[in-house]
Amino acid sequence: MADDPRNYLNRPLAEGVRRVGFRKWYERELLSSHAHLVLTLLATVAMMGAAEAFGKADLQGKLMDVALFLISAGIGLWALRRYLYLLMHAESVANQANCPDCKTYGRFTVEQDNPQGRWVRVCCRKCGHRWPIEY
């Protein structure tokens, strides 16, 4: 689990490329990041609903609305950070997925994984060129 120990739904880069290939790994990273964006939007709607209900409630209802607002804000901020992290991580790796020799995109195999160094050594399936991908 070298990539991100907090990313429970997606496989780390080296394991994901070995199992499903780079393009599928990249697609799953993007889908996961966009799911976090949807969660951010839902949390924003919940915050707006709590703010609207605040004006019409009694004291106990207002306290519940404040609690709901704060919980929704926390979830929304967490989801926004995860969205940005996963998106930037996927894009950073995708920008390095072109073979430097033959310019083939995303057609490589993982040869060596270095989790402490945060890189993997890959080999192009078309021309056999080897290069590191940092993540």
Side-chain angles (χ1 to χ4, degrees), residues 22-95:
F22 171 73
R23 293 177 188 204
K24 288 275 189 192
W25 175 87
Y26 177 65
E27 177 183 342
R28 290 176 184 182
E29 286 287 308
L30 291 180
L31 287 173
S32 180
S33 71
H34 285 86
H36 283 85
L37 180 62
V38 170
L39 180 59
T40 301
L41 294 173
L42 291 174
T44 303
V45 169
M47 287 172 50
M48 291 187 306
E52 183 177 339
F54 183 82
K56 303 172 188 172
D58 59 349
L59 180 61
Q60 186 178 7
K62 286 185 180 191
L63 289 175
M64 285 294 282
D65 290 337
V66 168
L68 177 62
F69 186 89
L70 293 175
I71 290 169
S72 298
I75 291 170
L77 287 174
W78 172 82
L80 181 62
R81 288 190 55 180
R82 287 300 295 166
Y83 163 69
L84 293 172
Y85 171 80
L86 290 171
L87 184 66
M88 292 294 103
H89 177 253
E91 290 302 313
S92 170
V93 172
N95 287 336

Side-chain angles (χ1 to χ4, degrees), residues 3 6 10 13 32 42-43 47 50 58-59 61 65 79 86 90 97 102 107-108 112 119 126 128-129 134:
D3 255 7
R6 297 166 296 175
N10 295 1
L13 176 62
S32 180
L42 291 174
M47 287 172 50
D58 59 349
L59 180 61
D65 290 337
L86 290 171
C102 67
R107 295 202 58 214
F108 55 81
Q112 180 184 4
W119 58 268
K126 185 176 179 184
H129 180 75
E134 297 177 4

